[in-house]
Amino acid sequence: QVQLVESGGGLVQAGGSLRLSCAASGSIFSINAMGWYRQAPGKQRELVAAITSGGSTNYADSVKGRFTISRDNAKNTVYLQMNTLKPEDTAVYYCNAAIRVAGTLGYLEVWGQGTLVTVSS
């Protein structure tokens, strides 16, 4: 089995920056797409950014130009660099990945436990 462990969340003032990390562990054969979602109180979970195994990226309009998603395949890790943070970025951020477990076919859809990002005014 595999799991995703997130880190880097915390409290920051508006205009500040945070870098989230998400490391996959376990018996991993390969990882396809990875992404970051967020869910604010009273709102549905939304896609923030995604990155394919080949490095192609996609961002929500609300974070374009401020957030950057990247991955280190050697470390099985995806990052989210968040700059010029706004109060509306406050949410629990979840890591997601499609992971092929060693010795199996197909991919498992795996979610991290979430990390809280709070942006104060």
Side-chain angles (χ1 to χ4, degrees):
Q1 296 298 305
V2 298
Q3 64 180 24
L4 300 176
V5 179
E6 299 151 341
S7 62
L11 175 64
V12 65
Q13 282 194 288
S17 298
L18 285 174
R19 190 190 192 210
L20 306 183
S21 299
C22 173
S25 62
S27 186
I28 299 170
F29 179 78
S30 63
I31 302 177
N32 199 348
M34 306 183 79
W36 290 94
Y37 291 72
R38 68 186 181 188
Q39 187 167 25
K43 301 186 69 176
Q44 291 188 313
R45 188 174 298 186
E46 64 174 346
L47 176 67
V48 177
I51 184 167
T52 69
S53 60
S56 297
T57 59
N58 181 254
Y59 297 92
D61 288 341
S62 60
V63 306
K64 286 181 179 177
R66 299 188 297 120
F67 291 10
T68 302
I69 188 171
S70 61
R71 64 191 288 170
D72 186 335
N73 292 331
K75 296 181 179 179
N76 291 326
T77 300
V78 63
Y79 305 94
L80 186 67
Q81 178 66 47
M82 304 185 294
N83 298 325
T84 319
L85 283 161
K86 304 175 181 180
E88 51 263 44
D89 295 319
T90 296
V92 177
Y93 284 71
Y94 297 91
C95 179
N96 169 264
I99 302 175
R100 183 179 176 184
V101 178
T104 71
L105 298 176
Y107 290 88
L108 295 178
E109 193 75 12
V110 184
W111 290 87
Q113 79 288 348
T115 184
L116 178 62
V117 172
T118 303
V119 184
S120 65
S121 300

